[in-house]
Amino acid sequence: MKSAVIVFPGSNCDRDLATALRDVTGEAPAMVWHGESTLPDGLDLIAVPGGFSYGDYLRSGAMAARSPVMRAVVDAAGQGRAVLGVCNGFQVLTEAGLLPGALMRNAGIRFVCRDVMLTVSNAQTAFTSRYKADERITVPVAHHDGNYFADDETLDRLEGEGRVALRYAESVNGSARDIAGIVNNAGNVLGMMPHPERVIESAHGGTDGRRMFEGLMAALG
Amino acid sequence: MKTRVFVTLKTGVLDPQGKAIHHALEGLGFTGVNDVRQGKLIELDLADGTSAADIEAMCNKLLANTVIENFRIEPVSS
């Protein structure tokens, strides 16, 4: 599986994501700088990492979403290319208009950094196919702005269309309807606040994230 | 030519920072504060003749996230 990780100034999870992709797929991803206006040819997956791009200035993900490389990512997503946004990557994807809604300051104000239990609401996406429907998995979160917001009409539509891929099994940040991860209409773009790349091997304290990358590899080749 | 843009959370959108400020004011003994909402002020120093439509576009495209925020544009008279 040929993948790329987008590198923004200030991001601190790009190498974690690259390591996870390399370990699971056996192929190191291309690292693509935010100032690039094109992506490498033949990519199966574009990964937008977590970690305070542009220092979270203005709003989390706002500057990164307007960077030159994101125009190429939006084009690639429109052509059906798989895009995974983790944490700040999720914020970037909503700011870029690839996913609906917005990520706001956690309802409890505090930065939350711990393992959380998630429920796999839709196990039929390319990202979640290695999980069972309604399976509980444990994946860490580390964020200040993970409070998912969308208007009721959008939330109803997301739920009705099975686009809520992951939910928090416990209240973590005040997210509307406990949403932890959603896919776009076509199902090729997933944004999620928890960090699957941090639970790849048992030394990490868990391996529940590994299956997301294995599922992607099975789905995308 | 200077213009100020005020960005505020839409009514009904939870503002935990505003709530924290409210709580701190109460802690200082100020009673009678019904609610606090926090926003941000962005000052633009613009070339003369920058159109109102351009400023509006700046707000819609970057300065405010219109899913959750409102904005108000206010010219600064020198």
Side-chain angles (χ1 to χ4, degrees):
Chain A
M1 184 173 79
K2 201 170 170 198
S3 60
V5 174
I6 309 298
V7 182
F8 299 108
S11 293
N12 61 1
C13 300
D14 44 355
R15 283 174 294 172
D16 296 19
L17 206 44
T19 301
L21 283 165
R22 191 197 62 211
D23 286 359
V24 177
T25 69
E27 202 175 333
M31 305 302 280
V32 181
W33 184 236
H34 68 116
E36 298 287 339
S37 51
T38 57
L39 292 163
D41 289 333
L43 289 178
D44 299 303
L45 173 72
I46 301 159
V48 186
F52 312 100
S53 56
Y54 297 80
D56 272 357
Y57 289 166
L58 189 62
R59 290 181 309 277
S60 303
M63 303 294 195
R66 277 83 181 170
S67 62
V69 76
M70 282 306 296
R71 286 195 277 276
V73 173
V74 169
D75 285 348
Q79 290 158 13
R81 201 86 64 204
V83 179
L84 168 67
V86 171
C87 197
N88 189 241
F90 186 12
Q91 295 159 347
V92 172
L93 297 184
T94 59
E95 283 281 346
L98 283 173
L99 292 169
L103 280 309
M104 307 200 307
R105 183 60 36 103
N106 294 342
I109 307 177
R110 290 188 181 156
F111 191 96
V112 181
C113 182
R114 62 180 169 90
D115 285 347
V116 299
M117 208 181 279
L118 306 175
T119 305
V120 180
S121 301
N122 183 348
Q124 295 184 323
T125 75
F127 305 88
T128 54
S129 61
R130 287 290 167 100
Y131 302 104
K132 295 187 196 69
D134 298 323
E135 183 181 351
R136 292 282 174 96
I137 59 173
T138 302
V139 182
V141 297
H143 60 244
H144 208 172
D145 298 313
N147 181 354
Y148 182 74
F149 175 89
D151 59 35
D152 285 335
E153 191 186 324
T154 304
L155 293 169
D156 290 345
R157 194 174 69 242
L158 289 173
E159 290 185 328
E161 294 172 353
R163 288 167 54 188
V164 178
L166 301 161
R167 275 183 216 274
Y168 300 108
E170 53 182 314
S171 180
V172 171
N173 50 31
S175 282
R177 303 190 193 177
D178 290 323
I179 287 171
I182 54 170
V183 291
N184 67 339
N185 192 29
N188 63 307
V189 178
L190 171 78
M192 62 187 290
M193 287 311 295
H195 286 272
E197 79 279 12
R198 293 189 186 177
V199 271
I200 295 295
E201 51 189 81
S202 51
H204 294 160
T207 58
D208 281 345
R210 188 175 188 92
R211 282 183 286 157
M212 178 167 289
F213 299 99
E214 288 173 346
L216 282 168
M217 200 164 68
L220 306 174
Chain B
M1 136 184 171
K2 286 195 173 158
T3 292
R4 287 180 178 156
V5 175
F6 295 89
V7 180
T8 50
L9 284 170
K10 287 183 174 174
T11 310
V13 172
L14 176 71
D15 177 3
Q17 291 158 299
K19 279 203 182 321
I21 296 165
H22 190 183
H23 185 70
L25 286 172
E26 285 176 337
L28 286 170
F30 292 105
T31 56
V33 180
N34 292 324
D35 193 21
V36 178
R37 307 281 288 172
Q38 181 183 273
K40 64 186 97 162
L41 161 65
I42 300 167
E43 279 191 343
L44 303 172
D45 190 349
L46 300 164
D48 288 344
T50 304
S51 71
D54 267 354
I55 302 170
E56 181 111 3
M58 291 177 204
C59 292
N60 277 311
K61 287 187 175 178
L62 178 65
L63 303 181
N65 179 339
T66 55
V67 175
I68 50 172
E69 292 170 331
N70 290 321
F71 61 85
R72 181 163 54 86
I73 298 163
E74 192 176 274
V76 178
S77 47
S78 47

